[in-house]
Amino acid sequence: MSVQEYLDKHMLSRKIEDAVNAAVRAKTPDPVLFISNHMKKSVPSVITKVKARQILDSRGIPTVEVDLYTNKGVFRASAPSGSSSGMYEAIELRDGDKGTYLGNGVSRAIKNVNEKISEALIGMDPTLQVQIDQAMIDLDKTEKKGELGANAILAVSMASCKAGAAEKEVPLYKHIADLAGKTNYNLPVPAFTLISGGKHAGNNLAIQEIMILPIGARKFEDALRMGAETYHHLKAVITEKFGLHGCNVGEDGGFAPNISSLKEGLDFVMEAIGRTGYSEKIKIAIGVAATEFCIGTKYDLDYKSPNKSGQNFKSGEDLINSYKELCEAYPIVSIEDPFDKEDWEHSKYFSGLGICQVVGDDLLMSNPKRIERAIQEAACNALMLKVNQVGTVTEAIEAVKLSKDANWGVVISHRSGESEDSFLADLAVGLGTGQIKAGAPCRGERLAKYNQLLRIEEELGDQAIYAGDDWRQTADSFHK
């Protein structure tokens, strides 16, 4: 094909002429750059290459990172990973070779991206998120994405979403809002982890975490400052009690002092809040993760204390009474997984009391069927959305829609294994969830999300709305 034939086939002469005319009208000081950018805009972008690699997450465990190429650039995303996985969530594909990364390598998932997913997606329009995600689901052919690996599929899905935003020349959160059919977005209230326990820390605290929510802040920037100041005041409180060795942190950055009592931890947090002067503006949330210490139908709050374990079991009714007392004594507005993932009856009863937000985490595992059952049985009133549990951006959006239609709250959540990818921040803003849980206001992989929210708030300017008192983004909120 001659040069002239090539120009004629692709109508390049007309496009070049249009670009030159546009440059003249714009009186641009750099016509070559202007014409180059104008030509890029005139050509629809398609996916040209998908390349995956194995990286380490914040725990030093392998995960999948993807570079997705279009003629607009290269877009990178990495899959988060949790410390536990359930039977109802999408399956991470790991190698199982104990001689390499203790069996946690993801070379099989990497191979699936580079050889199978890449071939299926090349040539697709990155703005068509639903079609891209469906193509990967169809390629996988399993209910829980066990063939290609949810970690492989999710990383590609997130990278595609970023590429789609670039193609539309809009911020990522705006593109996500468009995908969800939303026209408004807000900055979420952050749930900062202050004290870590459970599987995330080496202390004797059975529950997973104690968090604070700066609901009374005027904007996200103020909320982040309140969280950071409270965090550092708590460090001083713990140091006074235990010395500096009490200030070791858990996987998500929360302090892990050697406490065994939830009340003791709450008292430390209350003391820290009091020192900030923000007592009227900060509420408390607790992540119980009761499945971790449920044995049969009983709960062993001393399961991490070898000398006490098995001697003081609590029933579901005992826990309900305990939660009621705690909510009366402390400004607790949200409790995550107060019971075992299969303890539907106690979850339903406690949620029906209307004392606080009851978040389904292990109870739901972001699984649509579990969410639908919980809605029908009123077993909780909020979803903990973990994108790796569903495996694609499209399915995450659908899970949020399902929950919001039921007048539930939604918490966009990190995992214990995170990276510097800030995707969750844009997801929370774009879907207008009103709540985000990304760990303590320290550690780079946690702050990547919080700092991105700062940037988004700055970019939105006068249009930025902080969820604040409307943190649940529903018709009902829990005020204390």
Side-chain angles (χ1 to χ4, degrees), residues 203-204 300 302-311:
N203 54 15
N204 291 327
D300 185 6
D302 294 318
Y303 83 104
K304 294 174 71 177
S305 305
N307 297 331
K308 297 181 181 178
S309 183
Q311 300 176 24

Side-chain angles (χ1 to χ4, degrees), residues 30-43:
D30 190 340
V32 174
L33 180 61
F34 184 95
I35 292 169
S36 174
N37 290 333
H38 192 280
M39 291 294 292
K40 281 184 179 180
K41 291 177 183 178
S42 69
V43 180

Side-chain angles (χ1 to χ4, degrees), residues 262-263 266 286 322-330 332:
L262 173 55
K263 286 186 176 181
L266 287 168
I286 55 176
S322 175
Y323 297 142
K324 288 166 68 175
E325 291 173 4
L326 289 171
C327 288
E328 289 175 2
Y330 302 93
I332 296 172

Side-chain angles (χ1 to χ4, degrees), residues 247-431:
C247 294
N248 293 330
V249 299
E251 288 180 341
D252 53 2
F255 294 114
N258 192 25
I259 58 175
S260 56
S261 162
L262 173 55
K263 286 186 176 181
E264 185 181 7
L266 287 168
D267 287 338
F268 285 164
V269 170
M270 288 299 292
E271 172 65 21
I273 293 173
R275 293 186 185 187
T276 65
Y278 303 135
S279 295
E280 299 302 315
K281 297 181 178 181
I282 293 177
K283 304 302 179 184
I284 292 176
I286 55 176
V288 179
T291 297
E292 299 298 336
F293 52 87
C294 181
I295 301 175
T297 60
K298 300 289 186 180
Y299 296 89
D300 185 6
L301 291 170
D302 294 318
Y303 83 104
K304 294 174 71 177
S305 305
N307 297 331
K308 297 181 181 178
S309 183
Q311 300 176 24
N312 188 24
F313 287 115
K314 301 290 184 183
S315 66
E317 289 79 7
D318 292 333
L319 287 186
I320 288 173
N321 290 331
S322 175
Y323 297 142
K324 288 166 68 175
E325 291 173 4
L326 289 171
C327 288
E328 289 175 2
Y330 302 93
I332 296 172
V333 295
S334 183
I335 299 179
E336 301 167 8
D337 272 350
F339 307 97
D340 178 67
K341 67 179 184 293
E342 301 299 345
D343 193 347
W344 291 83
E345 287 306 311
H346 287 112
S347 292
K348 178 179 179 179
Y349 178 80
F350 182 63
S351 183
L353 295 176
I355 296 172
C356 65
Q357 174 175 262
V358 180
V359 184
D361 183 2
D362 290 338
L363 179 74
L364 305 176
M365 298 182 198
S366 304
N367 182 298
K369 292 179 181 178
R370 303 277 289 188
I371 295 171
E372 288 174 354
R373 177 182 173 184
I375 290 170
Q376 291 170 0
E377 298 187 18
C380 60
N381 52 43
L383 164 69
M384 179 74 73
L385 179 71
K386 296 175 175 176
V387 289
N388 73 308
Q389 291 183 330
V390 285
T392 66
V393 172
T394 299
E395 289 167 293
I397 291 172
E398 290 304 314
V400 170
K401 285 183 178 179
L402 186 62
S403 302
K404 287 297 185 182
D405 286 346
N407 201 35
W408 277 16
V410 175
V411 185
I412 299 293
S413 177
H414 66 160
R415 301 308 309 266
S416 59
E418 275 292 341
S419 72
E420 60 273 22
D421 195 316
S422 61
F423 184 87
L424 293 183
D426 287 82
L427 186 68
V429 174
L431 297 182

Side-chain angles (χ1 to χ4, degrees), residues 66-298:
V66 164
D67 286 347
L68 184 140
Y69 294 72
T70 73
N71 44 350
K72 289 289 173 64
V74 184
F75 306 92
R76 178 172 293 167
S78 54
S81 176
S83 58
S84 61
S85 59
M87 66 179 76
Y88 303 106
E89 65 184 85
I91 297 171
E92 287 182 334
L93 188 62
R94 297 198 179 270
D95 298 340
D97 176 7
K98 297 297 183 182
T100 305
Y101 284 115
L102 307 179
N104 291 315
V106 290
S107 62
R108 291 164 61 202
I110 300 299
K111 185 177 181 181
N112 286 339
V113 173
N114 292 339
E115 296 182 4
K116 297 179 181 178
I117 294 176
S118 179
E119 181 180 350
L121 299 189
I122 286 176
M124 292 190 71
D125 180 345
T127 65
L128 303 179
Q129 188 71 40
V130 174
Q131 288 90 325
I132 288 170
D133 290 341
Q134 191 60 51
M136 291 190 285
I137 291 169
D138 293 343
L139 187 64
D140 179 86
K141 294 186 178 69
T142 68
E143 183 181 359
K144 296 191 288 185
K145 303 175 178 65
E147 180 66 27
L148 298 177
N151 43 352
I153 292 172
L154 177 61
V156 175
S157 181
M158 291 164 60
S160 300
C161 195
K162 294 178 181 182
E167 171 62 16
K168 291 163 60 178
E169 297 186 334
V170 298
L172 179 56
Y173 61 85
K174 174 67 167 63
H175 177 49
I176 291 171
D178 291 344
L179 293 172
K182 290 184 64 68
T183 56
N184 61 318
Y185 18 79
N186 57 54
L187 278 298
V189 171
F192 295 115
T193 304
L194 290 196
I195 291 182
S196 296
K199 272 192 168 184
H200 291 179
N203 54 15
N204 291 327
L205 184 63
I207 73 149
Q208 188 163 281
E209 60 221 334
I210 301 173
M211 297 162 284
I212 59 168
L213 284 70
I215 290 169
R218 292 183 301 106
K219 53 185 180 178
F220 181 81
E221 181 183 4
D222 292 341
L224 183 58
R225 175 172 51 79
M226 290 178 184
E229 289 177 7
T230 308
Y231 184 83
H232 288 289
H233 277 296
L234 179 60
K235 182 176 182 179
V237 172
I238 293 172
T239 301
E240 291 165 13
K241 175 74 174 179
F242 296 103
L244 283 174
H245 69 275
C247 294
N248 293 330
V249 299
E251 288 180 341
D252 53 2
F255 294 114
N258 192 25
I259 58 175
S260 56
S261 162
L262 173 55
K263 286 186 176 181
E264 185 181 7
L266 287 168
D267 287 338
F268 285 164
V269 170
M270 288 299 292
E271 172 65 21
I273 293 173
R275 293 186 185 187
T276 65
Y278 303 135
S279 295
E280 299 302 315
K281 297 181 178 181
I282 293 177
K283 304 302 179 184
I284 292 176
I286 55 176
V288 179
T291 297
E292 299 298 336
F293 52 87
C294 181
I295 301 175
T297 60
K298 300 289 186 180

